[in-house]
Amino acid sequence: PSIFYHRDVHHLYRKICRDTAEAQLDNGLVPDIAPEYTRFQGGFFESPEWGSACVQLPNLLYLWYGDRATEERQYETMKRYTRYLASTRNDEGLVKPGLGDWYDWTPDKGHIGASQLTPAELPATAFLYDNARIVARVAKRMGRTRDAAEFDELARQVRQDFLQAYYRPAEHSVATGSQAALATTLHFGLVPEEDREHVLANLVAELERAQYRQSTGEVCFRMLVQALADGGRSDVVYRMIDRTDPPGYGHMLKLGFKTLSERWDKPGSSMNHCMFGHIQEWFQNSIVGIRQSPDSIGFKHLLLKPEPVGDLTSASGYYDSIHGRIESRWRIEDDRFHWRITVPPNTTAEVHVPTADAGTVTESGRSAQQAQGVTLLREEPARRKESVGRAVFEVGPGAYEFESVLERNR
């Protein structure tokens, strides 16, 4: 989704969706490359993390642009591919693997290609679970009740098999306990809800042991970043990327790279590789704080929640949604948080102002609780010592200038 924040990719991604439908084989498989201008072998021909684009992309177009036409046109492709993945499961219910968490990284070996730290079946099975959930939702929107029931049941069974194969409840760990295994399980909601905080704590501990060096490869890096951010640990993400030694962006800059390499530590065979660009999504949805509410489609209901982490003192950004520009610009001066936002027409926003005291929050120079068009919903205390409290308001379209007293825990 990083690219959605920076470019209007609606028509490009609709074209890619058509490519996946045209490349689909009779048995339902969608190859890694579409159009399939050449035929590779093994995981480079068939890998669930790549083929699942035929399900994931129509879903993203619906969520970001409200595009139902594409998911309805692609429905048969989505359904056939998900059934195909389900047919490849072994006796444990795990999906036939492809490349897995390709190009993960260790201090001793760097990148070697195939996943070193995480069973390749793990992300493959997680994608089947998510695909089944997506197809079930599309089926419900289309009135296909029988299909919806089928894929709801498939998702339930896949989750059960995944937990049986990988989850260790006594330890709150997953498979090998790698960053990729823990983050993927959290990101896709496979972990039991009552254990989420424990599994998240294990993920943070694993990163601490690694001196905040990420080991995930191309596939699971996004899951790592978003699992931490969604769990309220953007402070850990910041520590991961605010470095100049490998693996990291600062090291790429030290090496003089102008584009993203396939490798964290040296020039890769590809020097125009978008996979490690997933951090852009975090810049936008966490640091700048522009995202939509979980039940929103097409950014109709916004969730504006910036994360002033580490030693950052300012950030700004925007997203040109189908309703208009959403903008967020903040700075910290003298322990005060200054935040300007723009909410486009025909939308509403839930605004999370960082502060320890809602009474200190002003909007355009007056108490926010008395400002026109601003409604206080609740106060949220800091979840942990690394985070900040929030005063949560609801606002309609317009431009706003919030200011609050901010005490950051370091």
PDB file of all heavy atoms in Angstrom, residues 53-76:
ATOM      1  N   ALA A  53      -1.580 -11.826  -5.209  1.00  0.00           N
ATOM      2  CA  ALA A  53      -1.903 -10.477  -5.712  1.00  0.00           C
ATOM      3  C   ALA A  53      -3.255 -10.461  -6.408  1.00  0.00           C
ATOM      4  O   ALA A  53      -3.953  -9.438  -6.396  1.00  0.00           O
ATOM      5  CB  ALA A  53      -0.809  -9.996  -6.667  1.00  0.00           C
ATOM      6  N   CYS A  54      -3.655 -11.590  -6.996  1.00  0.00           N
ATOM      7  CA  CYS A  54      -4.935 -11.631  -7.708  1.00  0.00           C
ATOM      8  C   CYS A  54      -6.117 -11.480  -6.761  1.00  0.00           C
ATOM      9  O   CYS A  54      -7.227 -11.145  -7.197  1.00  0.00           O
ATOM     10  CB  CYS A  54      -5.054 -12.914  -8.531  1.00  0.00           C
ATOM     11  SG  CYS A  54      -5.354 -14.416  -7.559  1.00  0.00           S
ATOM     12  N   VAL A  55      -5.897 -11.713  -5.473  1.00  0.00           N
ATOM     13  CA  VAL A  55      -6.934 -11.521  -4.451  1.00  0.00           C
ATOM     14  C   VAL A  55      -6.710 -10.218  -3.695  1.00  0.00           C
ATOM     15  O   VAL A  55      -7.649  -9.469  -3.417  1.00  0.00           O
ATOM     16  CB  VAL A  55      -6.942 -12.703  -3.457  1.00  0.00           C
ATOM     17  CG1 VAL A  55      -7.996 -12.495  -2.375  1.00  0.00           C
ATOM     18  CG2 VAL A  55      -7.174 -14.020  -4.179  1.00  0.00           C
ATOM     19  N   GLN A  56      -5.457  -9.941  -3.361  1.00  0.00           N
ATOM     20  CA  GLN A  56      -5.137  -8.786  -2.532  1.00  0.00           C
ATOM     21  C   GLN A  56      -5.372  -7.457  -3.257  1.00  0.00           C
ATOM     22  O   GLN A  56      -5.854  -6.486  -2.647  1.00  0.00           O
ATOM     23  CB  GLN A  56      -3.677  -8.876  -2.065  1.00  0.00           C
ATOM     24  CG  GLN A  56      -3.344 -10.117  -1.247  1.00  0.00           C
ATOM     25  CD  GLN A  56      -3.915 -10.071   0.158  1.00  0.00           C
ATOM     26  OE1 GLN A  56      -3.970  -9.012   0.771  1.00  0.00           O
ATOM     27  NE2 GLN A  56      -4.346 -11.216   0.662  1.00  0.00           N
ATOM     28  N   LEU A  57      -5.031  -7.375  -4.529  1.00  0.00           N
ATOM     29  CA  LEU A  57      -5.146  -6.097  -5.235  1.00  0.00           C
ATOM     30  C   LEU A  57      -6.593  -5.648  -5.410  1.00  0.00           C
ATOM     31  O   LEU A  57      -6.895  -4.470  -5.159  1.00  0.00           O
ATOM     32  CB  LEU A  57      -4.436  -6.163  -6.590  1.00  0.00           C
ATOM     33  CG  LEU A  57      -2.907  -6.230  -6.553  1.00  0.00           C
ATOM     34  CD1 LEU A  57      -2.337  -6.136  -7.959  1.00  0.00           C
ATOM     35  CD2 LEU A  57      -2.325  -5.124  -5.685  1.00  0.00           C
ATOM     36  N   PRO A  58      -7.524  -6.502  -5.840  1.00  0.00           N
ATOM     37  CA  PRO A  58      -8.917  -6.038  -5.903  1.00  0.00           C
ATOM     38  C   PRO A  58      -9.431  -5.562  -4.544  1.00  0.00           C
ATOM     39  O   PRO A  58     -10.210  -4.606  -4.476  1.00  0.00           O
ATOM     40  CB  PRO A  58      -9.681  -7.282  -6.384  1.00  0.00           C
ATOM     41  CG  PRO A  58      -8.671  -8.087  -7.118  1.00  0.00           C
ATOM     42  CD  PRO A  58      -7.377  -7.862  -6.396  1.00  0.00           C
ATOM     43  N   ASN A  59      -8.977  -6.196  -3.477  1.00  0.00           N
ATOM     44  CA  ASN A  59      -9.385  -5.786  -2.141  1.00  0.00           C
ATOM     45  C   ASN A  59      -8.836  -4.404  -1.807  1.00  0.00           C
ATOM     46  O   ASN A  59      -9.544  -3.561  -1.237  1.00  0.00           O
ATOM     47  CB  ASN A  59      -8.885  -6.812  -1.116  1.00  0.00           C
ATOM     48  CG  ASN A  59      -9.299  -6.475   0.305  1.00  0.00           C
ATOM     49  OD1 ASN A  59     -10.481  -6.347   0.601  1.00  0.00           O
ATOM     50  ND2 ASN A  59      -8.333  -6.316   1.186  1.00  0.00           N
ATOM     51  N   LEU A  60      -7.580  -4.141  -2.162  1.00  0.00           N
ATOM     52  CA  LEU A  60      -7.006  -2.821  -1.917  1.00  0.00           C
ATOM     53  C   LEU A  60      -7.730  -1.749  -2.720  1.00  0.00           C
ATOM     54  O   LEU A  60      -7.970  -0.640  -2.221  1.00  0.00           O
ATOM     55  CB  LEU A  60      -5.517  -2.823  -2.262  1.00  0.00           C
ATOM     56  CG  LEU A  60      -4.601  -3.559  -1.289  1.00  0.00           C
ATOM     57  CD1 LEU A  60      -3.186  -3.654  -1.846  1.00  0.00           C
ATOM     58  CD2 LEU A  60      -4.581  -2.880   0.068  1.00  0.00           C
ATOM     59  N   LEU A  61      -8.081  -2.045  -3.959  1.00  0.00           N
ATOM     60  CA  LEU A  61      -8.803  -1.068  -4.776  1.00  0.00           C
ATOM     61  C   LEU A  61     -10.165  -0.748  -4.176  1.00  0.00           C
ATOM     62  O   LEU A  61     -10.638   0.396  -4.241  1.00  0.00           O
ATOM     63  CB  LEU A  61      -8.956  -1.584  -6.208  1.00  0.00           C
ATOM     64  CG  LEU A  61      -7.658  -1.709  -7.009  1.00  0.00           C
ATOM     65  CD1 LEU A  61      -7.944  -2.245  -8.406  1.00  0.00           C
ATOM     66  CD2 LEU A  61      -6.940  -0.365  -7.106  1.00  0.00           C
ATOM     67  N   TYR A  62     -10.801  -1.730  -3.584  1.00  0.00           N
ATOM     68  CA  TYR A  62     -12.082  -1.492  -2.914  1.00  0.00           C
ATOM     69  C   TYR A  62     -11.881  -0.628  -1.671  1.00  0.00           C
ATOM     70  O   TYR A  62     -12.605   0.353  -1.450  1.00  0.00           O
ATOM     71  CB  TYR A  62     -12.726  -2.829  -2.537  1.00  0.00           C
ATOM     72  CG  TYR A  62     -13.964  -2.673  -1.677  1.00  0.00           C
ATOM     73  CD1 TYR A  62     -15.124  -2.098  -2.183  1.00  0.00           C
ATOM     74  CD2 TYR A  62     -13.959  -3.093  -0.348  1.00  0.00           C
ATOM     75  CE1 TYR A  62     -16.255  -1.945  -1.394  1.00  0.00           C
ATOM     76  CE2 TYR A  62     -15.082  -2.941   0.458  1.00  0.00           C
ATOM     77  CZ  TYR A  62     -16.222  -2.365  -0.075  1.00  0.00           C
ATOM     78  OH  TYR A  62     -17.331  -2.205   0.712  1.00  0.00           O
ATOM     79  N   LEU A  63     -10.877  -0.953  -0.857  1.00  0.00           N
ATOM     80  CA  LEU A  63     -10.662  -0.227   0.387  1.00  0.00           C
ATOM     81  C   LEU A  63     -10.230   1.221   0.150  1.00  0.00           C
ATOM     82  O   LEU A  63     -10.672   2.128   0.857  1.00  0.00           O
ATOM     83  CB  LEU A  63      -9.614  -0.944   1.236  1.00  0.00           C
ATOM     84  CG  LEU A  63      -9.997  -2.317   1.781  1.00  0.00           C
ATOM     85  CD1 LEU A  63      -8.817  -2.947   2.498  1.00  0.00           C
ATOM     86  CD2 LEU A  63     -11.199  -2.227   2.708  1.00  0.00           C
ATOM     87  N   TRP A  64      -9.375   1.453  -0.848  1.00  0.00           N
ATOM     88  CA  TRP A  64      -8.825   2.792  -1.064  1.00  0.00           C
ATOM     89  C   TRP A  64      -9.686   3.650  -1.978  1.00  0.00           C
ATOM     90  O   TRP A  64      -9.753   4.864  -1.798  1.00  0.00           O
ATOM     91  CB  TRP A  64      -7.409   2.697  -1.636  1.00  0.00           C
ATOM     92  CG  TRP A  64      -6.401   2.269  -0.614  1.00  0.00           C
ATOM     93  CD1 TRP A  64      -6.288   1.036  -0.035  1.00  0.00           C
ATOM     94  CD2 TRP A  64      -5.376   3.067  -0.023  1.00  0.00           C
ATOM     95  NE1 TRP A  64      -5.257   1.016   0.863  1.00  0.00           N
ATOM     96  CE2 TRP A  64      -4.672   2.249   0.897  1.00  0.00           C
ATOM     97  CE3 TRP A  64      -4.969   4.387  -0.185  1.00  0.00           C
ATOM     98  CZ2 TRP A  64      -3.592   2.722   1.645  1.00  0.00           C
ATOM     99  CZ3 TRP A  64      -3.894   4.860   0.552  1.00  0.00           C
ATOM    100  CH2 TRP A  64      -3.217   4.037   1.459  1.00  0.00           C
ATOM    101  N   TYR A  65     -10.338   3.024  -2.974  1.00  0.00           N
ATOM    102  CA  TYR A  65     -11.088   3.803  -3.957  1.00  0.00           C
ATOM    103  C   TYR A  65     -12.584   3.489  -3.971  1.00  0.00           C
ATOM    104  O   TYR A  65     -13.319   4.077  -4.758  1.00  0.00           O
ATOM    105  CB  TYR A  65     -10.528   3.559  -5.358  1.00  0.00           C
ATOM    106  CG  TYR A  65      -9.069   3.935  -5.517  1.00  0.00           C
ATOM    107  CD1 TYR A  65      -8.107   2.964  -5.797  1.00  0.00           C
ATOM    108  CD2 TYR A  65      -8.651   5.246  -5.398  1.00  0.00           C
ATOM    109  CE1 TYR A  65      -6.769   3.304  -5.953  1.00  0.00           C
ATOM    110  CE2 TYR A  65      -7.311   5.605  -5.553  1.00  0.00           C
ATOM    111  CZ  TYR A  65      -6.376   4.625  -5.831  1.00  0.00           C
ATOM    112  OH  TYR A  65      -5.056   4.960  -5.973  1.00  0.00           O
ATOM    113  N   GLY A  66     -13.023   2.559  -3.144  1.00  0.00           N
ATOM    114  CA  GLY A  66     -14.426   2.166  -3.173  1.00  0.00           C
ATOM    115  C   GLY A  66     -14.813   1.453  -4.453  1.00  0.00           C
ATOM    116  O   GLY A  66     -15.986   1.438  -4.842  1.00  0.00           O
ATOM    117  N   ASP A  67     -13.840   0.830  -5.106  1.00  0.00           N
ATOM    118  CA  ASP A  67     -14.049   0.188  -6.411  1.00  0.00           C
ATOM    119  C   ASP A  67     -14.609  -1.223  -6.225  1.00  0.00           C
ATOM    120  O   ASP A  67     -13.868  -2.166  -5.937  1.00  0.00           O
ATOM    121  CB  ASP A  67     -12.707   0.141  -7.158  1.00  0.00           C
ATOM    122  CG  ASP A  67     -12.811  -0.505  -8.532  1.00  0.00           C
ATOM    123  OD1 ASP A  67     -13.896  -0.991  -8.893  1.00  0.00           O
ATOM    124  OD2 ASP A  67     -11.788  -0.534  -9.238  1.00  0.00           O
ATOM    125  N   ARG A  68     -15.907  -1.380  -6.404  1.00  0.00           N
ATOM    126  CA  ARG A  68     -16.521  -2.705  -6.347  1.00  0.00           C
ATOM    127  C   ARG A  68     -16.510  -3.395  -7.707  1.00  0.00           C
ATOM    128  O   ARG A  68     -16.595  -4.618  -7.790  1.00  0.00           O
ATOM    129  CB  ARG A  68     -17.961  -2.595  -5.837  1.00  0.00           C
ATOM    130  CG  ARG A  68     -18.069  -2.252  -4.353  1.00  0.00           C
ATOM    131  CD  ARG A  68     -19.484  -2.393  -3.850  1.00  0.00           C
ATOM    132  NE  ARG A  68     -19.999  -3.753  -4.033  1.00  0.00           N
ATOM    133  CZ  ARG A  68     -21.216  -4.140  -3.709  1.00  0.00           C
ATOM    134  NH1 ARG A  68     -22.063  -3.279  -3.164  1.00  0.00           N
ATOM    135  NH2 ARG A  68     -21.612  -5.381  -3.909  1.00  0.00           N
ATOM    136  N   ALA A  69     -16.430  -2.614  -8.770  1.00  0.00           N
ATOM    137  CA  ALA A  69     -16.501  -3.193 -10.117  1.00  0.00           C
ATOM    138  C   ALA A  69     -15.331  -4.142 -10.363  1.00  0.00           C
ATOM    139  O   ALA A  69     -15.509  -5.223 -10.942  1.00  0.00           O
ATOM    140  CB  ALA A  69     -16.520  -2.089 -11.168  1.00  0.00           C
ATOM    141  N   THR A  70     -14.131  -3.758  -9.888  1.00  0.00           N
ATOM    142  CA  THR A  70     -12.964  -4.603 -10.134  1.00  0.00           C
ATOM    143  C   THR A  70     -13.065  -5.912  -9.370  1.00  0.00           C
ATOM    144  O   THR A  70     -12.788  -6.983  -9.920  1.00  0.00           O
ATOM    145  CB  THR A  70     -11.671  -3.861  -9.749  1.00  0.00           C
ATOM    146  OG1 THR A  70     -11.535  -2.705 -10.585  1.00  0.00           O
ATOM    147  CG2 THR A  70     -10.452  -4.746  -9.944  1.00  0.00           C
ATOM    148  N   GLU A  71     -13.469  -5.860  -8.106  1.00  0.00           N
ATOM    149  CA  GLU A  71     -13.564  -7.109  -7.355  1.00  0.00           C
ATOM    150  C   GLU A  71     -14.669  -8.008  -7.916  1.00  0.00           C
ATOM    151  O   GLU A  71     -14.533  -9.232  -7.902  1.00  0.00           O
ATOM    152  CB  GLU A  71     -13.762  -6.849  -5.864  1.00  0.00           C
ATOM    153  CG  GLU A  71     -15.061  -6.193  -5.478  1.00  0.00           C
ATOM    154  CD  GLU A  71     -15.196  -6.003  -3.967  1.00  0.00           C
ATOM    155  OE1 GLU A  71     -14.185  -6.187  -3.252  1.00  0.00           O
ATOM    156  OE2 GLU A  71     -16.313  -5.676  -3.522  1.00  0.00           O
ATOM    157  N   GLU A  72     -15.738  -7.428  -8.445  1.00  0.00           N
ATOM    158  CA  GLU A  72     -16.785  -8.255  -9.045  1.00  0.00           C
ATOM    159  C   GLU A  72     -16.298  -8.882 -10.346  1.00  0.00           C
ATOM    160  O   GLU A  72     -16.584 -10.045 -10.634  1.00  0.00           O
ATOM    161  CB  GLU A  72     -18.037  -7.414  -9.272  1.00  0.00           C
ATOM    162  CG  GLU A  72     -18.730  -7.024  -7.972  1.00  0.00           C
ATOM    163  CD  GLU A  72     -19.936  -6.119  -8.188  1.00  0.00           C
ATOM    164  OE1 GLU A  72     -20.266  -5.836  -9.372  1.00  0.00           O
ATOM    165  OE2 GLU A  72     -20.543  -5.688  -7.185  1.00  0.00           O
ATOM    166  N   ARG A  73     -15.539  -8.102 -11.140  1.00  0.00           N
ATOM    167  CA  ARG A  73     -14.992  -8.646 -12.386  1.00  0.00           C
ATOM    168  C   ARG A  73     -13.952  -9.717 -12.109  1.00  0.00           C
ATOM    169  O   ARG A  73     -13.833 -10.698 -12.843  1.00  0.00           O
ATOM    170  CB  ARG A  73     -14.369  -7.513 -13.212  1.00  0.00           C
ATOM    171  CG  ARG A  73     -13.945  -7.960 -14.611  1.00  0.00           C
ATOM    172  CD  ARG A  73     -13.198  -6.879 -15.347  1.00  0.00           C
ATOM    173  NE  ARG A  73     -11.907  -6.614 -14.716  1.00  0.00           N
ATOM    174  CZ  ARG A  73     -11.476  -5.405 -14.393  1.00  0.00           C
ATOM    175  NH1 ARG A  73     -12.239  -4.355 -14.609  1.00  0.00           N
ATOM    176  NH2 ARG A  73     -10.290  -5.253 -13.832  1.00  0.00           N
ATOM    177  N   GLN A  74     -13.181  -9.537 -11.033  1.00  0.00           N
ATOM    178  CA  GLN A  74     -12.104 -10.473 -10.705  1.00  0.00           C
ATOM    179  C   GLN A  74     -12.569 -11.620  -9.811  1.00  0.00           C
ATOM    180  O   GLN A  74     -11.760 -12.467  -9.448  1.00  0.00           O
ATOM    181  CB  GLN A  74     -10.976  -9.726  -9.994  1.00  0.00           C
ATOM    182  CG  GLN A  74     -10.266  -8.665 -10.819  1.00  0.00           C
ATOM    183  CD  GLN A  74      -9.482  -9.259 -11.962  1.00  0.00           C
ATOM    184  OE1 GLN A  74      -9.683  -8.890 -13.117  1.00  0.00           O
ATOM    185  NE2 GLN A  74      -8.598 -10.191 -11.662  1.00  0.00           N
ATOM    186  N   TYR A  75     -13.839 -11.643  -9.464  1.00  0.00           N
ATOM    187  CA  TYR A  75     -14.309 -12.565  -8.436  1.00  0.00           C
ATOM    188  C   TYR A  75     -13.983 -14.024  -8.767  1.00  0.00           C
ATOM    189  O   TYR A  75     -13.501 -14.770  -7.898  1.00  0.00           O
ATOM    190  CB  TYR A  75     -15.810 -12.394  -8.220  1.00  0.00           C
ATOM    191  CG  TYR A  75     -16.381 -13.332  -7.186  1.00  0.00           C
ATOM    192  CD1 TYR A  75     -16.043 -13.202  -5.843  1.00  0.00           C
ATOM    193  CD2 TYR A  75     -17.237 -14.373  -7.548  1.00  0.00           C
ATOM    194  CE1 TYR A  75     -16.552 -14.064  -4.885  1.00  0.00           C
ATOM    195  CE2 TYR A  75     -17.753 -15.240  -6.604  1.00  0.00           C
ATOM    196  CZ  TYR A  75     -17.405 -15.078  -5.270  1.00  0.00           C
ATOM    197  OH  TYR A  75     -17.902 -15.946  -4.328  1.00  0.00           O
ATOM    198  N   GLU A  76     -14.238 -14.453  -9.972  1.00  0.00           N
ATOM    199  CA  GLU A  76     -13.976 -15.850 -10.331  1.00  0.00           C
ATOM    200  C   GLU A  76     -12.494 -16.172 -10.239  1.00  0.00           C
ATOM    201  O   GLU A  76     -12.107 -17.264  -9.801  1.00  0.00           O
ATOM    202  CB  GLU A  76     -14.518 -16.161 -11.728  1.00  0.00           C
ATOM    203  CG  GLU A  76     -16.031 -16.184 -11.811  1.00  0.00           C
ATOM    204  CD  GLU A  76     -16.666 -17.215 -10.878  1.00  0.00           C
ATOM    205  OE1 GLU A  76     -16.116 -18.333 -10.765  1.00  0.00           O
ATOM    206  OE2 GLU A  76     -17.688 -16.886 -10.252  1.00  0.00           O
TER     207      GLU A  76
END
